[in-house]
Amino acid sequence: DDLSHKTQSSELFTLTYGALVTQLCKDYENDEDVNKQLDKMGYNIGVRLIEDFLARSNVGRCHDFRETADVIAKVAFKMYLGITPSITNWSPAGDEFSLILENNPLVDFVELPDNHSSLIYSNLLCGVQMAVEAKFVQDTLKGDGVTEIRMRFIRRIEDNLPAGEE
Amino acid sequence: MRTRSAGRSLGAGSWCMADVALFEFLHTEMVAELWAHDPDPGPGGQKTSLSVLEGVGFRVGQALGERLPREMLTFKEELDVLKFLCKDLWVAVFQKQMDSLRTNHQGTYVLQDNSFPLLVRMASGLQYVEEAPKFLAFPCGLLRGALSTLGIKSLVTASVASLPACEFWEALPVSRVKWGPQSICLLLRGEAAPGCRSPFHRRGIQDQRT
């Protein structure tokens, strides 16, 4: 029953995430610290999520970063957020690519106030990736046409986890 | 951060579906990050350690409430509202109905969930019972927020006797003259079950005196 799992309307997740960001913005004085927290929380979620993901999908070890990209975009995003980002902009060395999100479910209800211009609202998503650097280079919230997450392969983790997946 | 209302209904099919694991993991992280973290400890420095989480839940509940279908906003009786919480809201959030709803017909309601999804993975028995209240603050706020959108001020506390069963206590105004958003009277009836260490109880009573 690989992909059959309980789902719920993503608005609960989206609203909860929004309330969390609001709270963090109250708690921390600058957006950098909020970004750091979101990144950390995303990482912690990612560590658990990968277990969940591997247990439920039949995805084996990825042999290269291209395969990893496919798994992330077509299986993982689909499974957890119900969307399939497109993969573009491969670097010649094949160690960087971009995920393009036409619409980012995390930002459905959000208007970013001007005074939080350095806040990377969806930073939590970045933490979900492991052993890679993931950062937002375009964001619809900031007026870009699409949301783009740039993924850069850093190194292979030799122990316990398959490299690069999620 | 402002929220926009787009007039779609709760859990409607037109919505993108997200996996429940995602919400559960996010909630766990929120508990780890936000509990015992109160920038405004209140008079006497009394620590309402879970009030931040409860507040976050409240905002989410309010927003969910705003997105309810129109006909939901014309409940005739208090009990209908409670039934709505037990059925529709609980299903939308936790994919199951509340297991029982009891009331003393004086404004106190006891909602019981015998296998509360946020506790199910933790234990079956008493092993982590001290930790459990942390995981109930958010859902308490959620219920209180949804009620608030429906025009009802309430106090919701939760207690756990044995995982993963838990109860949500609802105190609704008893001496309300008419059904409407003006109702403000707040009273907690019913005793919290043994082992309840929820700080909301205390805080709510204080609020009422001021």
Side-chain angles (χ1 to χ4, degrees):
Chain A
D1 62 355
D2 23 323
L3 298 186
S4 65
H5 191 246
K6 280 185 174 173
T7 58
Q8 63 197 163
S9 161
S10 65
E11 67 188 322
L12 174 71
F13 179 71
T14 304
L15 289 168
T16 305
Y17 182 70
L20 168 70
V21 176
T22 307
Q23 184 62 42
L24 292 177
C25 286
K26 273 188 200 160
D27 293 348
Y28 294 96
E29 294 200 342
N30 63 63
D31 291 351
E32 287 309 308
D33 290 338
V34 176
N35 292 340
K36 249 183 249 166
Q37 282 304 320
L38 290 175
D39 201 52
K40 188 189 84 183
M41 295 173 82
Y43 177 81
N44 291 341
I45 291 172
V47 170
R48 290 199 193 94
L49 207 58
I50 184 69
E51 301 283 340
D52 187 74
F53 177 72
L54 292 176
R56 284 164 48 196
S57 64
N58 288 321
V59 173
R61 184 177 285 264
C62 291
H63 298 291
D64 60 30
F65 205 41
R66 281 177 189 273
E67 205 180 323
T68 307
D70 269 354
V71 170
I72 291 173
K74 292 177 189 156
V75 189
F77 265 89
K78 181 93 188 120
M79 189 152 125
Y80 291 105
L81 285 171
I83 53 171
T84 309
S86 51
I87 304 167
T88 56
N89 295 339
W90 278 100
S91 62
D95 62 350
E96 280 188 46
F97 66 91
S98 291
L99 292 172
I100 305 288
L101 285 71
E102 297 286 333
N103 44 10
N104 177 356
L106 281 185
V107 305
D108 269 343
F109 309 103
V110 180
E111 289 167 38
L112 205 58
D114 294 339
N115 56 344
H116 285 295
S117 53
S118 60
L119 181 71
I120 309 170
Y121 184 80
S122 310
N123 213 3
L124 188 109
L125 278 183
C126 288
V128 180
Q129 323 297 336
M130 295 189 63
V132 295
E133 180 187 275
K135 64 178 182 190
F136 279 84
V137 290
Q138 285 194 79
D139 195 337
T140 43
L141 271 184
K142 297 185 176 156
D144 296 319
V146 291
T147 299
E148 175 178 355
I149 306 176
R150 189 77 182 150
M151 309 280 289
R152 191 164 68 86
F153 180 76
I154 299 173
R155 69 192 157 82
R156 182 175 286 270
I157 296 181
E158 296 298 342
D159 286 332
N160 41 49
L161 289 171
E165 273 181 19
E166 266 257 308
Chain B
M1 210 85 22
R2 278 176 293 162
T3 55
R4 254 185 272 153
S5 63
R8 274 173 281 193
S9 62
L10 191 70
S14 63
W15 263 86
C16 205
M17 297 306 275
D19 194 275
V20 292
L22 212 51
F23 170 75
E24 286 185 20
F25 293 152
L26 177 68
H27 178 259
T28 307
E29 273 310 300
M30 277 192 336
V31 170
E33 168 70 25
L34 298 177
W35 88 278
H37 165 78
D38 192 348
D40 181 22
Q46 195 180 45
K47 219 169 163 61
T48 54
S49 61
L50 298 172
S51 63
V52 173
L53 273 170
E54 207 259 357
V56 172
F58 181 81
R59 284 198 290 275
V60 175
Q62 258 186 327
L64 280 178
E66 278 172 16
R67 307 174 59 70
L68 302 178
R70 273 272 161 246
E71 61 269 30
M72 297 296 186
L73 301 175
T74 56
F75 292 118
K76 287 195 181 68
E77 285 183 56
E78 220 162 70
L79 197 58
D80 294 333
V81 178
L82 268 295
K83 281 181 185 163
F84 164 75
L85 294 182
C86 292
K87 291 182 180 164
D88 306 70
L89 186 78
W90 220 241
V91 168
V93 176
F94 296 115
Q95 299 78 50
K96 72 188 286 289
Q97 292 192 6
M98 198 72 89
D99 290 307
S100 81
L101 167 64
R102 282 171 285 158
T103 177
N104 62 357
H105 298 289
Q106 295 183 347
T108 299
Y109 295 86
V110 179
L111 284 59
Q112 190 177 334
D113 189 330
N114 294 328
S115 56
F116 182 53
L118 296 177
L119 298 178
V120 159
R121 289 174 194 233
M122 280 169 74
S124 182
L126 295 172
Q127 193 180 4
Y128 290 112
V129 78
E130 287 96 0
E131 308 290 322
K134 290 184 214 168
F135 292 86
L136 299 176
F138 179 88
C140 278
L142 196 81
L143 288 174
R144 196 166 65 84
L147 282 171
S148 157
T149 301
L150 294 167
I152 302 171
K153 261 197 172 183
S154 64
L155 185 65
V156 182
T157 63
S159 69
V160 179
S162 165
L163 298 180
C166 75
E167 293 186 332
F168 291 87
W169 294 85
E170 304 255 335
L172 293 172
V174 179
S175 59
R176 207 176 46 205
V177 183
K178 63 173 184 172
W179 182 249
Q182 304 89 339
S183 50
I184 45 155
C185 168
L186 200 62
L187 191 64
L188 180 72
R189 292 288 174 95
E191 303 163 17
C196 171
R197 286 175 212 164
S198 167
F200 316 125
H201 188 162
R202 260 192 332 253
R203 194 184 55 167
I205 299 296
Q206 280 169 1
D207 285 350
Q208 198 192 325
R209 282 186 195 140
T210 52

